[in-house]
Amino acid sequence: MKKSPSEHQTSDSTSGFVSLLAVRSLTVLNDNMARWIVIGLGKRAAASVGTAPAAVLAVGTAVYVVPFVLFAWLAGWLADRYSKRSVVISWKFAEILIGIVAALAIAWGAGSGVVLGGIPLGLWLLLGVVGLFGLQTTLLNPSLLGTIPETVPAAKLSPANGIFALVSLAATLVGMAAGNWLADITWLTPQPDADRPLPLWMMDLPFAYALPAAIGLFSIASAGWLLSLRLPNVPAADSNAVFPRNGITKTVEDLRALCGSRRLIGAAAGIVFFWGIAAVAQLNVDQYAFESGATTQGQVTPLLLALVIGIGGGSLLAGRLSGQGADENSQVNLGIVPVGGMIMATACLALSFSGQEIFQPDKSLSIGLITAAWWLFLLGVGAGMFDVPLEAYLQEQSPPDRLGATLASTNLLVFTGMLASSLGYYVLRMPVGAEELAKPLFSARGVFLIFSLLAGIATVAAIVSAPRSSLRLFVDWTVRLVYRFRIQGAESLPASGPAVIVGNHISWLDGFLVVLAARRPVRMVVYGPNIQGRFLKRLAAQWQFILFDPHPKSIARALKEIESGLANGDFIGIFCEGGISRTGQVLGFKRGLERILNRVDAPAVPLAIDGLWGSIFSFSGGRFFFKVPWPLRRRITMRFGPLVPSGKSPTVIRLALQETAARAVFGRFHHNPKCDVTYAAFAEALSGCCVLRRFDRLLVTLQKDDPLHDVFADAHSHQLSVSVEACQEAVSADEFVRLFQRRRVTVWIARHQQLHEILAFARGEPPKLMAFPEVIIVPVRSAAEFEHVAKTLSAFETMFGVTPVVAFAPPGCGLLAMSTPPSRSVSKENTYACDSVGRVVNGAVVWPRASLRGPAGFGPLTDEDSQPDEHRSLVVSAMSQGSDGIGWNVLDEQFDVDDNGFLRLRLDDKE
């Protein structure tokens, strides 16, 4: 079995990639320097014999490109048959020999010798050198590019290609500048050139006029060869590959293999499109400048520089953004490609409608020039973002034993596309009309408009080819725009094999966030009726969500699909609580997880979603969506906990999830210097358990030595977002009742002794209406204290129909555990209307069951149990009493009891 390139990597992979960058930069530098030396000398040599320089450029381009077409098959075979390091070393040494030949040709003189076909013999020799450089580049490139996946891990393939592209671009610019400078100071023949005098110290040196160019070509080639010796030595991908006797047949076979893979040919097509546009873009920029008022070639330089800088920046940006793939077995995010295409289309469209005159006659800087440079910069950024992910994806997805052949075939298609685009550009710019009035068929702006249309088509094709990656990127960027999104502990996820991601369910966004947080694709288990609308359904289909309905057959089918996915090595994401938390805390697990883990051998990874409680997508405040989000841009943390091995019970997994959630909360508060971690954690826990609402009023009557007293030591330490009033003075039971009414208290944190005093007071008074806060919390510090308090709480509930809850707060630990008050855990559907006046029975307000009606339109509670002598207790919070009746507070709204006794209340479930 063949090993993937990443399996061959060693500890020196980083140094190997640095050496690869150095070799690549020197190769591109020498190649461009040699070509521009020949271009500069060729123009002068052709002009000296009366030949048009354009003819020399056409011949030079053909000589350089032909090897890419004729010898692509050989380049691919060499890269697969032998170690890529040995191929690179061999052809880098050949570059030294080619440099020596180039130095000899320059020394003989580009303008020397007989004229053949309108071109001096010396120039023909230099054009031959260009052909040798083209051959060397053809045979070297597949091995050089194929070394990238051998020196960097798969997860860093996109960033590596971004750096690789930037280095190549920088070397191209330096080589172009160096080549032009060397061409300017080199003589055409050994005869002295009065226009190009040599420095005095060089006058006595042999062949001094050719010495700078010769030294430059030879030294750069030698340095590149020495650095190639530092490349990592990886075994050949296919050491048994037989030398192809027929190059044409081999080329056809390689192209057929490339086209046979939908992924590879799609990536190759995108790369061909990029280079096809790049081949003529700089030509069109030149024509665009002169059509916009430029009079010298120097005025074109800022526009070309903006384009080149944009390509470099876009390459780095793409490498940084495309480091996580959405498709199976891919670490490359192809969603970046359509973004690059859209930027290209927009920039070309803007250039096509730009002003006609961007250059001022006095050569001053104009707004039009700045605007044009800006759009060209964006065009370059889009081009870099379009190309880099495709290059990385092609290297990643190519079979290891055919990587060289794949890259060579892609090079063949690239240069064929460049030739085709050059021909197309010639047709678009063909003069039309009389000779004196002839104008190009399309102006440079018209060509940019065509580029915009082509880029739009390429963008649509990229989205259709990789819809999952495109949708993931759209959702990812939308989430990051609205929230401050960060991921912690992702290294806990296994690189391969199945795993169950068990998360806490806080909001409606959780399922999408889990997909964004994991490095590998995650198949979420989602309640089907929640996925409504075309966009959500398409998103669920592309991300392969497992949907289920609340029916036995649908649940069984979903469980079977989960088991099948885990057996195939998928990541399955599941929320085991059975619904979105109403308190912000981790709820109890349902039985589905136990059934899954009993049937499939897969580890579990706890995932704590922190920061969404309080958003409009959570149930904070007792409702979804219809509330003001605060803060507007929340910080969301997705924290993965340590891997839980297979075979562990759901109880162990739930404990691991709780621990992970606690660490996420601690981390959030720890990074806030203005926040006390203990008090902040208490505030979050109390707010979640009590389902606190913005309009709640909280009364604290704890004494100095009571649990949780220190939390409310001053007005700001508690960090709760509701009105809080502390009372440490001794208050009688009757005063407590009046205090509840006067302060409109909805939540009371009390000592159990105070509840005991109220019970004693109520037993000694005649029956009358006594109203209490909706939520009563009694802190205790130990289990023994809880046993003592339990009797008081039970008696309080029996007499008043209000269920106090216990908050377990041991010394030095803060709030550890607390149940949600029953009045806050009942849904709003349990709200009923009363038709008759209630009576006080054992201190609780009761009404005949027959007088209770359900929500409007639903009739009485039950037909069979509507006997007038049956009663049900009602949870009531009386706020005030006046001559017009009693004002009642249920949840967040006021209701009145009129003379007819009509009242709308929340029912307690107990008889």
Side-chain angles (χ1 to χ4, degrees):
M1 180 179 177
K2 297 293 182 185
K3 292 185 177 182
S4 65
S6 60
E7 292 176 320
H8 291 296
Q9 291 164 13
T10 60
S11 59
D12 62 343
S13 293
T14 302
S15 60
F17 182 65
V18 173
S19 300
L20 177 64
L21 289 178
V23 173
R24 173 66 172 181
S25 62
L26 293 177
T27 301
V28 174
L29 171 62
N30 214 29
D31 180 83
N32 279 274
M33 189 169 67
R35 287 193 290 121
W36 284 97
I37 289 174
V38 175
I39 289 173
L41 294 176
K43 287 181 178 180
R44 288 160 47 200
S48 66
V49 296
T51 303
V56 176
L57 295 178
V59 173
T61 301
V63 169
Y64 184 78
V65 170
V66 164
F68 286 91
V69 178
L70 297 182
F71 297 102
W73 61 272
L74 180 58
W77 179 81
L78 289 173
D80 293 332
R81 172 62 179 80
Y82 299 100
S83 166
K84 294 178 178 60
R85 175 179 181 271
S86 61
V87 176
V88 172
I89 291 174
S90 299
W91 287 107
K92 288 301 295 181
F93 185 78
E95 185 181 331
I96 298 176
L97 301 179
I98 297 173
I100 295 174
V101 173
L104 295 176
I106 293 172
W108 195 57
S112 302
V114 298
V115 178
L116 300 175
I119 297 177
L121 180 59
L123 183 54
W124 278 115
L125 295 177
L126 286 177
L127 292 174
V129 169
V130 171
L132 291 177
F133 270 108
L135 177 62
Q136 184 253 357
T137 303
T138 299
L139 301 178
L140 177 66
N141 265 354
S143 296
L144 207 57
L145 293 173
T147 307
I148 298 178
E150 293 181 352
T151 54
V152 297
K156 296 183 179 180
L157 199 55
S158 289
N161 273 272
I163 298 173
F164 198 80
L166 180 63
V167 167
S168 301
L169 188 64
T172 299
L173 293 177
V174 175
M176 183 188 305
N180 282 320
W181 176 73
L182 290 173
D184 285 339
I185 65 173
T186 302
W187 297 350
L188 282 180
T189 65
Q191 302 299 323
D193 190 341
D195 295 331
R196 293 168 177 81
L198 296 176
L200 294 178
W201 63 272
M202 292 181 59
M203 294 296 294
D204 297 331
L205 297 177
F207 303 103
Y209 57 89
L211 204 55
I215 292 176
L217 293 172
F218 179 79
S219 60
I220 293 175
S222 300
W225 174 73
L226 291 174
L227 287 171
S228 68
L229 299 176
R230 296 178 55 84
L231 294 176
N233 190 11
V234 178
D238 187 8
S239 58
N240 297 321
V242 179
F243 180 79
R245 297 180 179 274
N246 190 322
I248 298 177
T249 303
K250 173 64 174 173
T251 301
V252 173
E253 291 177 356
D254 290 343
L255 290 174
R256 185 179 292 116
L258 179 64
C259 296
S261 171
R262 182 175 176 270
R263 292 184 174 185
L264 295 182
I265 191 58
I271 295 171
V272 171
F273 170 79
F274 166 78
W275 285 106
I277 296 295
V280 296
Q282 59 180 347
L283 299 177
N284 201 57
V285 170
D286 181 86
Q287 297 301 304
Y288 171 83
F290 280 97
E291 290 181 4
S292 301
T295 56
T296 64
Q297 198 67 35
Q299 292 176 292
V300 185
T301 303
L303 300 179
L304 289 175
L305 192 60
L307 177 64
V308 171
I309 293 175
I311 294 175
S315 299
L316 280 182
L317 183 62
R320 183 178 179 84
L321 295 178
S322 65
Q324 180 179 340
D327 295 326
E328 191 66 33
N329 301 321
S330 177
Q331 295 290 334
V332 180
N333 189 354
L334 291 180
I336 301 293
V337 177
V339 175
M342 286 187 284
I343 294 176
M344 291 171 62
T346 303
C348 289
L349 185 64
L351 288 169
S352 67
F353 289 100
S354 61
Q356 293 295 322
E357 297 294 333
I358 64 175
F359 292 99
Q360 300 297 329
D362 57 357
K363 297 184 180 181
S364 60
L365 190 64
S366 65
I367 298 298
L369 179 59
I370 296 175
T371 304
W374 166 251
W375 288 117
L376 285 170
F377 171 78
L378 284 185
L379 175 59
V381 170
M385 295 177 66
F386 188 92
D387 178 62
V388 167
L390 294 175
E391 298 276 5
Y393 190 75
L394 186 71
Q395 297 165 17
E396 179 193 55
Q397 296 298 317
S398 297
D401 58 344
R402 289 192 53 83
L403 179 58
T406 301
L407 296 176
S409 299
T410 304
N411 278 342
L412 172 61
L413 295 178
V414 163
F415 279 91
T416 303
M418 292 171 67
L419 290 175
S421 64
S422 298
L423 179 61
Y425 184 75
Y426 172 77
V427 173
L428 293 176
R429 296 290 295 173
M430 184 180 299
V432 177
E435 185 174 352
E436 298 80 7
L437 303 176
K439 292 184 178 180
L441 182 61
F442 283 88
S443 65
R445 287 171 173 76
V447 174
F448 273 128
L449 180 60
I450 295 175
F451 285 175
S452 178
L453 296 175
L454 293 177
I457 295 173
T459 300
V460 174
I463 294 174
V464 172
S465 300
R468 189 173 184 179
S469 297
S470 303
L471 285 173
R472 176 188 175 123
L473 188 74
F474 172 76
V475 175
D476 187 10
W477 286 9
T478 302
V479 169
R480 292 181 186 275
L481 179 66
V482 179
Y483 299 110
R484 292 177 292 174
F485 188 70
R486 62 179 179 178
I487 303 170
Q488 297 177 346
E491 61 276 3
S492 299
L493 295 172
S496 60
V500 180
I501 298 179
V502 181
N504 57 324
H505 207 0
I506 300 295
S507 72
W508 287 82
L509 288 181
D510 296 345
F512 302 110
L513 298 181
V514 173
V515 175
L516 299 179
R519 292 178 175 177
R520 291 171 51 194
V522 180
R523 301 186 63 188
M524 293 300 303
V525 181
V526 180
Y527 183 58
N530 289 342
I531 305 298
Q532 300 294 332
R534 181 177 301 178
F535 175 75
L536 288 181
K537 289 182 178 179
R538 182 176 180 84
L539 194 66
Q542 291 297 333
W543 286 2
Q544 300 179 8
F545 284 180
I546 300 174
L547 306 181
F548 70 93
D549 294 330
H551 305 295
K553 290 185 178 180
S554 177
I555 295 174
R557 185 167 53 251
L559 289 174
K560 185 176 181 180
E561 191 171 355
I562 292 171
E563 295 166 5
S564 175
L566 290 173
N568 293 331
D570 293 341
F571 269 8
I572 300 295
I574 186 171
F575 300 114
C576 301
E577 300 161 273
I580 298 176
S581 174
R582 262 50 176 178
T583 66
Q585 309 302 309
V586 179
L587 306 179
F589 282 7
K590 302 299 181 182
R591 297 180 57 187
L593 179 63
E594 184 176 3
R595 175 177 175 180
I596 295 170
L597 297 179
N598 287 338
R599 295 194 176 193
V600 180
D601 184 16
V605 182
L607 171 61
I609 304 173
D610 180 65
L612 271 176
W613 182 255
S615 70
I616 62 174
F617 300 102
S618 68
F619 196 71
S620 64
R623 66 188 63 157
F624 292 110
F625 305 117
F626 299 103
K627 52 193 171 185
V628 178
W630 188 262
L632 294 178
R633 195 162 185 262
R634 309 180 67 86
R635 181 185 295 276
I636 300 176
T637 300
M638 309 291 289
R639 185 183 182 93
F640 291 96
L643 194 73
V644 180
S646 59
K648 298 296 182 180
S649 67
T651 302
V652 175
I653 297 174
R654 184 173 182 271
L655 289 175
L657 176 59
Q658 288 179 311
E659 181 181 356
T660 304
R663 292 183 180 276
V665 173
F666 179 82
R668 167 158 49 93
F669 293 136
H670 181 71
H671 288 87
N672 185 356
K674 299 181 180 180
C675 178
D676 184 283
V677 176
T678 302
Y679 293 166
F682 160 78
E684 178 156 322
L686 182 67
S687 177
C689 291
C690 293
V691 195
L692 289 182
R693 296 154 189 151
R694 293 190 303 273
F695 304 109
D696 274 334
R697 293 177 178 269
L698 191 149
L699 175 65
V700 182
T701 58
L702 302 176
Q703 300 299 316
K704 184 175 181 180
D705 296 331
D706 291 333
L708 301 181
H709 172 269
D710 293 342
V711 177
F712 300 96
D714 59 65
H716 303 287
S717 62
H718 55 78
Q719 300 186 16
L720 292 170
S721 58
V722 298
S723 174
V724 177
E725 181 177 352
C727 178
Q728 299 185 17
E729 301 175 358
V731 179
S732 65
D734 189 43
E735 290 174 338
F736 267 127
V737 175
R738 290 196 297 269
L739 184 63
F740 297 152
Q741 297 177 359
R742 185 170 63 252
R743 300 298 187 187
R744 303 169 60 91
V745 177
T746 58
V747 180
W748 179 28
I749 301 181
R751 311 177 72 211
H752 75 274
Q753 293 90 342
Q754 295 165 346
L755 271 66
H756 183 76
E757 293 172 2
I758 292 177
L759 283 171
F761 171 76
R763 292 190 183 104
E765 294 291 326
K768 67 176 182 179
L769 179 65
M770 299 179 67
F772 295 95
E774 186 180 350
V775 177
I776 301 177
I777 302 169
V778 179
V780 299
R781 59 170 56 87
S782 65
E785 185 179 352
F786 171 75
E787 293 177 358
H788 177 68
V789 171
K791 297 179 181 180
T792 302
L793 302 185
S794 177
F796 194 94
E797 180 182 4
T798 301
M799 177 168 286
F800 300 112
V802 180
T803 305
V805 295
V806 173
F808 183 47
C813 297
L815 180 62
L816 286 187
M818 175 182 162
S819 299
T820 299
S823 59
R824 293 288 171 102
S825 61
V826 182
S827 64
K828 287 190 176 182
E829 284 74 13
N830 289 340
T831 299
Y832 295 88
C834 178
D835 293 331
S836 63
V837 178
R839 295 180 292 123
V840 178
V841 178
N842 294 329
V845 185
V846 296
W847 281 263
R849 180 187 292 269
S851 67
L852 297 177
R853 294 184 291 104
F858 287 89
L861 274 174
T862 57
D863 295 333
E864 60 272 14
D865 293 331
S866 302
Q867 301 301 324
D869 56 341
E870 295 183 2
H871 302 86
R872 169 168 280 211
S873 299
L874 299 175
V875 179
V876 181
S877 296
M879 295 294 102
S880 62
Q881 184 174 2
S883 57
D884 296 334
I886 302 176
W888 303 84
N889 183 292
V890 181
L891 297 178
D892 294 330
E893 303 179 33
Q894 290 289 331
F895 300 89
D896 295 325
V897 177
D898 56 19
D899 295 336
N900 296 323
F902 186 81
L903 180 66
R904 189 173 294 273
L905 296 171
R906 177 185 293 278
L907 283 174
D908 185 6
D909 288 336
K910 296 190 176 182
E911 295 290 343

